[in-house]
Amino acid sequence: MAGTEGMTPSPPRIAVLLAACNGMAWLPAQLDSILGQEDVAVTVFVSVDRSTDGTEDWFGERAASDARVVLLPGGRFGSAALNFYRLLRDVDFAAFDFVSLADQDDIWLPGKLHRAVAWLDRHGAAAYSGNVIAFWPDGREMLVDKAQAQVAADFVFEAAGPGCTYVLRNRLAVALQAFLHAQREGSCRVFAHDWLIYAFARAHGFRWVIDPQPQMRYRQHQSNQTGVNAGLRAFIKRAAMVRSGWAFEQAAVVARLVGADALPLTSAWLAGGRRGLISLSLHARQCRRRRTDQLLFVVSCWLLALSPRPGRAARSGSAAD
């Protein structure tokens, strides 16, 4: 087009949704790493769950001095998931090309969002997530690898990785927003917002890519609501959830909310009973991405099948890492 030679293309406009609660120990470093993202234009929308450490006042001051920070009216949500659902419902995405999620306690590498946009463009995808480097106060670090190949129904039983790595194209964010408005009560029953987002996207035909190259440092501390799902303590916690049927109850809610309950793989299980669980165990490779998780999935199905109330999880209609 005449007159456009030499013009620099506008950087991608990205709405970053940050859910916070009593986060003053980590927020300055987190927010600086978001505002310091290279080759993108970010606006950070903040929702603060009622806090006692000055988090809301601090964001109010930052918003007053930096137009890139927008503080939503405060409220009481009770969990990170409910806080993120609020952000996803209430923020207007019309002026943005992409929507990203942010926790309050991590550190983003400077090229995190630029790489995500490049990956989305390269693969023609609508959603992106990636691996992270977990780190602890004692200096330990660990790669959290969630970049295994996606399988047919993994979205019914697990997330695509930490939600703080998610970047969504506008069209997916708008569709998700409409879904959360329509399913306000049902969505609030899902403990893990990152799981529900992944499930919605996959169930509605949006292509998702998972980047094996970490682009953020994933802080671990005693106040983490979820954190790294690794080690003996995490295994014991997961075993307890399996034994109680909680994880499968959540998966049943997710499947029904996003319309995956009619899939041949899930319909027999959701009908309840031992046969449904045993049938599901035979399709573990289509339900979880990682080999060790597939083995645990088989064991979980059989433990529940042999329990006194094997159909409880599916019938309750009420999901895992």
Side-chain angles (χ1 to χ4, degrees):
M1 183 182 298
T4 62
E5 293 83 354
M7 292 181 61
T8 301
S10 300
R13 301 163 299 172
I14 303 180
V16 178
L17 310 184
L18 195 159
C21 180
N22 288 322
M24 285 310 303
W26 318 287
L27 276 165
Q30 169 72 98
L31 185 60
D32 286 348
S33 74
I34 296 173
L35 296 177
Q37 290 294 293
E38 299 172 344
D39 302 317
V40 294
V42 299
T43 301
V44 184
F45 293 90
V46 183
S47 176
V48 179
D49 203 340
R50 190 172 299 172
S51 299
T52 58
D53 69 344
T55 292
E56 190 165 10
D57 290 340
W58 182 79
F59 269 119
E61 294 173 1
R62 292 298 299 260
S65 62
D66 192 331
R68 296 174 297 170
V69 179
V70 179
L71 178 62
L72 275 62
R76 188 166 186 85
F77 308 103
S79 73
L82 295 180
N83 204 351
F84 275 113
Y85 294 148
R86 181 271 180 103
L87 282 160
L88 287 161
R89 287 194 306 264
D90 292 356
V91 173
D92 185 355
F93 301 139
F96 299 95
D97 305 305
F98 302 91
V99 174
S100 175
L101 306 187
D103 291 343
Q104 65 179 2
D105 48 7
D106 304 316
I107 300 175
W108 290 11
L109 301 186
K112 176 184 185 293
L113 293 179
H114 177 73
R115 180 179 173 88
V117 170
W119 258 64
L120 288 167
D121 289 344
R122 184 182 311 133
H123 296 280
Y128 166 101
S129 60
N131 288 342
V132 298
I133 296 294
F135 70 102
W136 285 261
D138 61 8
R140 287 180 297 140
E141 294 188 354
M142 183 183 77
L143 172 68
V144 180
D145 185 7
K146 296 290 185 178
Q148 301 81 20
Q150 296 166 74
V151 293
D154 65 323
F155 62 90
V156 177
F157 300 97
E158 64 178 329
C164 47
T165 68
Y166 286 13
V167 179
L168 315 177
R169 284 194 186 277
N170 175 277
R171 66 176 184 272
L172 170 54
V174 170
L176 176 64
Q177 187 172 69
F179 165 78
L180 291 174
H181 278 293
Q183 298 289 347
R184 187 182 186 112
E185 182 177 347
S187 62
C188 289
R189 294 165 61 199
V190 180
F191 173 78
H193 61 283
D194 44 7
W195 186 357
L196 183 57
I197 294 169
Y198 180 53
F200 173 83
R202 289 283 307 279
H204 289 80
F206 291 97
R207 187 177 183 186
W208 195 293
V209 290
I210 306 178
D211 185 359
Q213 180 64 44
Q215 292 298 307
M216 60 171 285
R217 291 174 57 77
Y218 189 44
R219 192 189 303 271
Q220 301 298 299
H221 52 80
Q222 291 183 343
S223 300
N224 282 126
Q225 190 163 53
T226 51
V228 173
N229 190 11
L232 179 60
R233 181 177 299 179
F235 178 82
I236 293 172
K237 181 179 179 180
R238 292 166 69 190
M241 289 191 296
V242 167
R243 188 173 182 179
S244 70
W246 179 87
F248 281 93
E249 289 173 5
Q250 285 279 285
V253 171
V254 169
R256 291 184 172 113
L257 277 174
V258 303
D261 51 331
L263 294 175
L265 189 149
T266 59
S267 58
W269 159 60
L270 288 171
R274 291 183 173 86
R275 289 185 179 180
L277 284 163
I278 293 171
S279 174
L280 191 64
S281 74
L282 300 177
H283 297 89
R285 290 185 178 181
Q286 299 178 58
C287 298
R288 298 299 298 262
R289 298 190 300 274
R290 190 166 51 186
R291 181 63 58 86
T292 54
D293 290 338
Q294 293 169 5
L295 294 174
L296 180 60
F297 187 85
V298 172
V299 173
S300 302
C301 289
W302 278 89
L303 285 175
L304 285 175
L306 296 174
S307 70
R309 300 170 63 190
R312 170 176 174 264
R315 288 196 303 269
S316 70
S318 308
D321 48 12

PDB file of all heavy atoms in Angstrom, residues 249-269:
ATOM      1  N   GLU A 249     -14.839 -36.179  40.402  1.00  0.00           N
ATOM      2  CA  GLU A 249     -16.023 -35.331  40.526  1.00  0.00           C
ATOM      3  C   GLU A 249     -15.823 -34.026  39.754  1.00  0.00           C
ATOM      4  O   GLU A 249     -16.714 -33.559  39.035  1.00  0.00           O
ATOM      5  CB  GLU A 249     -16.304 -35.030  41.993  1.00  0.00           C
ATOM      6  CG  GLU A 249     -16.809 -36.214  42.794  1.00  0.00           C
ATOM      7  CD  GLU A 249     -16.907 -35.904  44.277  1.00  0.00           C
ATOM      8  OE1 GLU A 249     -16.659 -34.727  44.635  1.00  0.00           O
ATOM      9  OE2 GLU A 249     -17.220 -36.806  45.055  1.00  0.00           O
ATOM     10  N   GLN A 250     -14.652 -33.439  39.917  1.00  0.00           N
ATOM     11  CA  GLN A 250     -14.352 -32.204  39.208  1.00  0.00           C
ATOM     12  C   GLN A 250     -14.311 -32.433  37.692  1.00  0.00           C
ATOM     13  O   GLN A 250     -14.807 -31.622  36.918  1.00  0.00           O
ATOM     14  CB  GLN A 250     -13.017 -31.639  39.688  1.00  0.00           C
ATOM     15  CG  GLN A 250     -13.057 -30.984  41.045  1.00  0.00           C
ATOM     16  CD  GLN A 250     -13.592 -29.558  40.961  1.00  0.00           C
ATOM     17  OE1 GLN A 250     -12.906 -28.641  40.516  1.00  0.00           O
ATOM     18  NE2 GLN A 250     -14.822 -29.372  41.378  1.00  0.00           N
ATOM     19  N   ALA A 251     -13.727 -33.550  37.269  1.00  0.00           N
ATOM     20  CA  ALA A 251     -13.681 -33.870  35.843  1.00  0.00           C
ATOM     21  C   ALA A 251     -15.080 -34.019  35.265  1.00  0.00           C
ATOM     22  O   ALA A 251     -15.340 -33.628  34.120  1.00  0.00           O
ATOM     23  CB  ALA A 251     -12.868 -35.137  35.614  1.00  0.00           C
ATOM     24  N   ALA A 252     -15.989 -34.572  36.045  1.00  0.00           N
ATOM     25  CA  ALA A 252     -17.369 -34.710  35.586  1.00  0.00           C
ATOM     26  C   ALA A 252     -18.009 -33.343  35.370  1.00  0.00           C
ATOM     27  O   ALA A 252     -18.730 -33.119  34.387  1.00  0.00           O
ATOM     28  CB  ALA A 252     -18.171 -35.531  36.600  1.00  0.00           C
ATOM     29  N   VAL A 253     -17.749 -32.413  36.283  1.00  0.00           N
ATOM     30  CA  VAL A 253     -18.268 -31.052  36.122  1.00  0.00           C
ATOM     31  C   VAL A 253     -17.701 -30.415  34.860  1.00  0.00           C
ATOM     32  O   VAL A 253     -18.426 -29.828  34.048  1.00  0.00           O
ATOM     33  CB  VAL A 253     -17.921 -30.181  37.351  1.00  0.00           C
ATOM     34  CG1 VAL A 253     -18.266 -28.725  37.082  1.00  0.00           C
ATOM     35  CG2 VAL A 253     -18.683 -30.665  38.565  1.00  0.00           C
ATOM     36  N   VAL A 254     -16.394 -30.519  34.682  1.00  0.00           N
ATOM     37  CA  VAL A 254     -15.739 -29.933  33.510  1.00  0.00           C
ATOM     38  C   VAL A 254     -16.326 -30.507  32.228  1.00  0.00           C
ATOM     39  O   VAL A 254     -16.669 -29.768  31.286  1.00  0.00           O
ATOM     40  CB  VAL A 254     -14.220 -30.174  33.568  1.00  0.00           C
ATOM     41  CG1 VAL A 254     -13.559 -29.816  32.245  1.00  0.00           C
ATOM     42  CG2 VAL A 254     -13.592 -29.368  34.696  1.00  0.00           C
ATOM     43  N   ALA A 255     -16.439 -31.830  32.161  1.00  0.00           N
ATOM     44  CA  ALA A 255     -16.947 -32.479  30.947  1.00  0.00           C
ATOM     45  C   ALA A 255     -18.339 -31.976  30.591  1.00  0.00           C
ATOM     46  O   ALA A 255     -18.628 -31.650  29.431  1.00  0.00           O
ATOM     47  CB  ALA A 255     -16.955 -33.992  31.135  1.00  0.00           C
ATOM     48  N   ARG A 256     -19.196 -31.885  31.589  1.00  0.00           N
ATOM     49  CA  ARG A 256     -20.571 -31.455  31.314  1.00  0.00           C
ATOM     50  C   ARG A 256     -20.643 -29.974  30.955  1.00  0.00           C
ATOM     51  O   ARG A 256     -21.418 -29.570  30.089  1.00  0.00           O
ATOM     52  CB  ARG A 256     -21.450 -31.776  32.523  1.00  0.00           C
ATOM     53  CG  ARG A 256     -21.645 -33.286  32.718  1.00  0.00           C
ATOM     54  CD  ARG A 256     -22.605 -33.599  33.854  1.00  0.00           C
ATOM     55  NE  ARG A 256     -22.911 -35.017  33.894  1.00  0.00           N
ATOM     56  CZ  ARG A 256     -22.550 -35.847  34.866  1.00  0.00           C
ATOM     57  NH1 ARG A 256     -21.849 -35.385  35.892  1.00  0.00           N
ATOM     58  NH2 ARG A 256     -22.871 -37.122  34.826  1.00  0.00           N
ATOM     59  N   LEU A 257     -19.848 -29.159  31.615  1.00  0.00           N
ATOM     60  CA  LEU A 257     -19.879 -27.723  31.338  1.00  0.00           C
ATOM     61  C   LEU A 257     -19.472 -27.415  29.908  1.00  0.00           C
ATOM     62  O   LEU A 257     -20.076 -26.565  29.250  1.00  0.00           O
ATOM     63  CB  LEU A 257     -18.958 -26.983  32.307  1.00  0.00           C
ATOM     64  CG  LEU A 257     -19.497 -26.640  33.687  1.00  0.00           C
ATOM     65  CD1 LEU A 257     -18.403 -26.038  34.546  1.00  0.00           C
ATOM     66  CD2 LEU A 257     -20.674 -25.672  33.588  1.00  0.00           C
ATOM     67  N   VAL A 258     -18.407 -28.070  29.419  1.00  0.00           N
ATOM     68  CA  VAL A 258     -17.870 -27.729  28.100  1.00  0.00           C
ATOM     69  C   VAL A 258     -18.464 -28.582  26.986  1.00  0.00           C
ATOM     70  O   VAL A 258     -18.093 -28.438  25.827  1.00  0.00           O
ATOM     71  CB  VAL A 258     -16.329 -27.831  28.077  1.00  0.00           C
ATOM     72  CG1 VAL A 258     -15.722 -26.947  29.148  1.00  0.00           C
ATOM     73  CG2 VAL A 258     -15.854 -29.280  28.230  1.00  0.00           C
ATOM     74  N   GLY A 259     -19.384 -29.480  27.329  1.00  0.00           N
ATOM     75  CA  GLY A 259     -20.027 -30.294  26.305  1.00  0.00           C
ATOM     76  C   GLY A 259     -19.251 -31.509  25.874  1.00  0.00           C
ATOM     77  O   GLY A 259     -19.486 -32.047  24.783  1.00  0.00           O
ATOM     78  N   ALA A 260     -18.321 -31.979  26.730  1.00  0.00           N
ATOM     79  CA  ALA A 260     -17.537 -33.172  26.397  1.00  0.00           C
ATOM     80  C   ALA A 260     -18.146 -34.435  26.984  1.00  0.00           C
ATOM     81  O   ALA A 260     -17.569 -35.513  26.863  1.00  0.00           O
ATOM     82  CB  ALA A 260     -16.105 -33.014  26.905  1.00  0.00           C
ATOM     83  N   ASP A 261     -19.306 -34.318  27.577  1.00  0.00           N
ATOM     84  CA  ASP A 261     -19.928 -35.479  28.205  1.00  0.00           C
ATOM     85  C   ASP A 261     -20.497 -36.464  27.194  1.00  0.00           C
ATOM     86  O   ASP A 261     -20.781 -37.617  27.538  1.00  0.00           O
ATOM     87  CB  ASP A 261     -21.031 -35.039  29.164  1.00  0.00           C
ATOM     88  CG  ASP A 261     -22.023 -34.072  28.531  1.00  0.00           C
ATOM     89  OD1 ASP A 261     -21.631 -33.320  27.623  1.00  0.00           O
ATOM     90  OD2 ASP A 261     -23.195 -34.067  28.951  1.00  0.00           O
ATOM     91  N   ALA A 262     -20.643 -36.032  25.934  1.00  0.00           N
ATOM     92  CA  ALA A 262     -21.180 -36.927  24.907  1.00  0.00           C
ATOM     93  C   ALA A 262     -20.090 -37.674  24.148  1.00  0.00           C
ATOM     94  O   ALA A 262     -20.405 -38.510  23.295  1.00  0.00           O
ATOM     95  CB  ALA A 262     -22.043 -36.134  23.921  1.00  0.00           C
ATOM     96  N   LEU A 263     -18.825 -37.385  24.443  1.00  0.00           N
ATOM     97  CA  LEU A 263     -17.749 -38.106  23.779  1.00  0.00           C
ATOM     98  C   LEU A 263     -17.855 -39.590  24.099  1.00  0.00           C
ATOM     99  O   LEU A 263     -18.156 -39.965  25.242  1.00  0.00           O
ATOM    100  CB  LEU A 263     -16.391 -37.584  24.243  1.00  0.00           C
ATOM    101  CG  LEU A 263     -16.012 -36.148  23.866  1.00  0.00           C
ATOM    102  CD1 LEU A 263     -14.687 -35.779  24.531  1.00  0.00           C
ATOM    103  CD2 LEU A 263     -15.922 -35.995  22.367  1.00  0.00           C
ATOM    104  N   PRO A 264     -17.607 -40.467  23.117  1.00  0.00           N
ATOM    105  CA  PRO A 264     -17.678 -41.903  23.398  1.00  0.00           C
ATOM    106  C   PRO A 264     -16.799 -42.306  24.575  1.00  0.00           C
ATOM    107  O   PRO A 264     -17.166 -43.175  25.375  1.00  0.00           O
ATOM    108  CB  PRO A 264     -17.188 -42.537  22.090  1.00  0.00           C
ATOM    109  CG  PRO A 264     -17.502 -41.524  21.037  1.00  0.00           C
ATOM    110  CD  PRO A 264     -17.308 -40.193  21.699  1.00  0.00           C
ATOM    111  N   LEU A 265     -15.655 -41.652  24.716  1.00  0.00           N
ATOM    112  CA  LEU A 265     -14.716 -42.013  25.771  1.00  0.00           C
ATOM    113  C   LEU A 265     -15.245 -41.677  27.161  1.00  0.00           C
ATOM    114  O   LEU A 265     -14.952 -42.370  28.128  1.00  0.00           O
ATOM    115  CB  LEU A 265     -13.382 -41.299  25.518  1.00  0.00           C
ATOM    116  CG  LEU A 265     -12.185 -41.685  26.371  1.00  0.00           C
ATOM    117  CD1 LEU A 265     -10.904 -41.516  25.558  1.00  0.00           C
ATOM    118  CD2 LEU A 265     -12.111 -40.816  27.618  1.00  0.00           C
ATOM    119  N   THR A 266     -16.031 -40.621  27.273  1.00  0.00           N
ATOM    120  CA  THR A 266     -16.489 -40.165  28.585  1.00  0.00           C
ATOM    121  C   THR A 266     -17.924 -40.558  28.912  1.00  0.00           C
ATOM    122  O   THR A 266     -18.288 -40.612  30.086  1.00  0.00           O
ATOM    123  CB  THR A 266     -16.372 -38.635  28.701  1.00  0.00           C
ATOM    124  OG1 THR A 266     -17.154 -38.020  27.661  1.00  0.00           O
ATOM    125  CG2 THR A 266     -14.927 -38.195  28.559  1.00  0.00           C
ATOM    126  N   SER A 267     -18.735 -40.807  27.915  1.00  0.00           N
ATOM    127  CA  SER A 267     -20.159 -41.022  28.182  1.00  0.00           C
ATOM    128  C   SER A 267     -20.414 -42.243  29.054  1.00  0.00           C
ATOM    129  O   SER A 267     -21.253 -42.204  29.967  1.00  0.00           O
ATOM    130  CB  SER A 267     -20.936 -41.135  26.870  1.00  0.00           C
ATOM    131  OG  SER A 267     -20.428 -42.196  26.072  1.00  0.00           O
ATOM    132  N   ALA A 268     -19.681 -43.345  28.794  1.00  0.00           N
ATOM    133  CA  ALA A 268     -19.886 -44.557  29.600  1.00  0.00           C
ATOM    134  C   ALA A 268     -19.462 -44.322  31.042  1.00  0.00           C
ATOM    135  O   ALA A 268     -20.137 -44.759  31.984  1.00  0.00           O
ATOM    136  CB  ALA A 268     -19.099 -45.725  28.997  1.00  0.00           C
ATOM    137  N   TRP A 269     -18.350 -43.602  31.218  1.00  0.00           N
ATOM    138  CA  TRP A 269     -17.889 -43.295  32.579  1.00  0.00           C
ATOM    139  C   TRP A 269     -18.893 -42.426  33.320  1.00  0.00           C
ATOM    140  O   TRP A 269     -19.230 -42.684  34.476  1.00  0.00           O
ATOM    141  CB  TRP A 269     -16.530 -42.606  32.509  1.00  0.00           C
ATOM    142  CG  TRP A 269     -16.192 -41.815  33.730  1.00  0.00           C
ATOM    143  CD1 TRP A 269     -16.069 -42.277  35.002  1.00  0.00           C
ATOM    144  CD2 TRP A 269     -15.960 -40.401  33.796  1.00  0.00           C
ATOM    145  NE1 TRP A 269     -15.759 -41.241  35.858  1.00  0.00           N
ATOM    146  CE2 TRP A 269     -15.695 -40.085  35.140  1.00  0.00           C
ATOM    147  CE3 TRP A 269     -15.933 -39.388  32.844  1.00  0.00           C
ATOM    148  CZ2 TRP A 269     -15.412 -38.781  35.560  1.00  0.00           C
ATOM    149  CZ3 TRP A 269     -15.653 -38.083  33.247  1.00  0.00           C
ATOM    150  CH2 TRP A 269     -15.405 -37.792  34.590  1.00  0.00           C
TER     151      TRP A 269
END
